[in-house]
Amino acid sequence: MNLRGIVQQLAIEHRLDARARGRLERIAGFGVEPAALHSTMAIGVALLAAALLGFGLILWIAANWQALGRFGRFGLLQAVVVVMGIGAIWRQRQRAALALVLLLATGALFATFGQTYQTGADPWQLFALWAALTLALCLGLRCDVLWVPWLLVAMTAVALWVYAHAGHRFGVRPDDLAVHAIGALAALAIVAAMSAPARAWTGAGAWSLRSAATLAVAMLTLAALGGLFGRTVSAQYLLGLAALLAVAAWFATRRGFDVFALSAAALGVDALLVAGLARWMFEGGTRDAIGMLLVIGAFAAAVLAATVGAVMKVARHRGGEELAR
């Protein structure tokens, strides 16, 4: 739980009035400009510039594809990779920004190779290679600046792998259960690598964990909905529901607690439960559509209220444990 949540919990437990609550907030430093605001802003601007530089480099090469030629494209990208790598080694204050450009330029180099030589490889192989070769860079710097874009690359590789091995189609078929199960396990493994118990090795922070959890929940929910709304309900629906329940259970524990990730997983579970009820009711052939919509709406409101109450209860409990420590 963050500092504001802890202060709120203290105010509730000790029944503080408005004056005492205001004094507690002043002691906690609320309403005061953070001491490191200027340095943090400078780092943020540097990272934004690095992201724009890497993205602009990719677009510039694409716009001048024919004019640069094969050797010009590869020479420019390889020079950027080498220069950014050397700069990240020698310039400690700008290391994260330079490494971010290096990560983006590495992906652009792989994409250029694939477009130039037309190897026939599936797109997931490009993203998997990109993620594998930049993993050492992320482990070396141990910061969210690199882990967040790396997660986008890795999760894209998993999604494209599932798409390729499911016959290059977006639909969900019962025959593809093993493929979706492997994809779900891969996504959950990435989330586990970003969670608190693995933080000593990865150095990943809250942004990395929450990004991984959001991407995994979106992937599992969409696959489960695809299995639900096919011609017949496939096992992918139950697989996605079970996986999201497992994720929610993990983030509710003391070791893995994170209120954002817990809320994301709970939202995915709610969506699947409401969608399952809708499929079951409309499949029954009842003509009273208005009545069914009212029932579905009431069920959705009840499930959401119960979920919010459960999440808040867990958050207060974990906040109390932090205060006790």
Side-chain angles (χ1 to χ4, degrees), residues 1-10 25 27-30 322:
M1 182 177 289
N2 56 24
L3 180 60
R4 188 172 295 277
I6 295 175
V7 170
Q8 183 179 4
Q9 181 68 22
L10 284 173
E25 290 179 352
I27 294 174
F30 296 164
E322 289 188 11

Side-chain angles (χ1 to χ4, degrees), residues 123-306:
W124 73 266
Q125 294 175 317
L126 166 66
F127 285 92
L129 184 62
W130 185 3
L133 293 182
T134 53
L135 179 59
L137 181 66
C138 297
L139 290 173
L141 264 71
R142 299 166 55 84
C143 65
D144 287 343
V145 173
L146 290 184
W147 278 122
V148 171
W150 183 89
L151 286 167
L152 292 172
V153 174
M155 287 294 190
T156 302
V158 174
L160 290 175
W161 182 90
V162 173
Y163 173 75
H165 288 78
H168 293 88
R169 57 179 173 272
F170 290 103
V172 177
R173 298 192 315 174
D175 297 341
D176 301 327
L177 177 61
V179 173
H180 286 95
I182 295 173
L185 288 175
L188 294 179
I190 293 174
V191 174
M194 296 296 108
S195 61
R199 197 162 292 167
W201 294 276
T202 62
W207 282 98
S208 301
L209 172 62
R210 293 169 182 179
S211 299
T214 302
L215 293 171
V217 167
M219 186 184 306
L220 293 170
T221 303
L222 290 175
L225 289 175
L228 176 65
F229 290 108
R231 291 185 178 179
T232 60
V233 179
S234 61
Q236 280 87 337
Y237 172 70
L238 296 178
L239 172 66
L241 185 59
L244 289 175
L245 287 172
V247 171
W250 164 249
F251 285 121
T253 62
R254 182 177 61 84
R255 292 187 63 193
F257 175 72
D258 184 88
V259 68
F260 181 92
L262 174 60
S263 301
L267 180 61
V269 172
D270 290 353
L272 293 183
L273 290 176
V274 173
L277 176 65
R279 168 69 190 251
W280 176 73
M281 292 191 68
F282 280 97
E283 202 173 41
T286 304
R287 295 184 179 181
D288 187 10
I290 301 299
M292 287 191 296
L293 290 176
L294 289 175
V295 172
I296 294 171
F299 178 76
V303 168
L304 182 60

Side-chain angles (χ1 to χ4, degrees), residues 50-65 68 73 76-77 80-81 100-112 115 126-127 130 149 153:
L52 293 175
L53 177 61
F55 187 58
L57 174 66
I58 296 172
L59 295 181
W60 187 80
I61 290 177
N64 298 274
W65 187 266
L68 287 173
R73 295 191 294 265
L76 176 61
L77 287 171
V80 170
V81 169
L100 179 59
V101 179
L102 172 58
L103 186 145
L104 295 174
T106 303
L109 182 61
F110 291 149
T112 301
Q115 288 293 323
L126 166 66
F127 285 92
W130 185 3
V153 174

Side-chain angles (χ1 to χ4, degrees), residues 22-43:
R23 183 180 178 186
L24 180 62
E25 290 179 352
R26 287 192 297 273
I27 294 174
F30 296 164
V32 180
E33 180 178 302
L37 178 62
H38 294 291
S39 60
T40 304
M41 287 291 294
I43 295 173

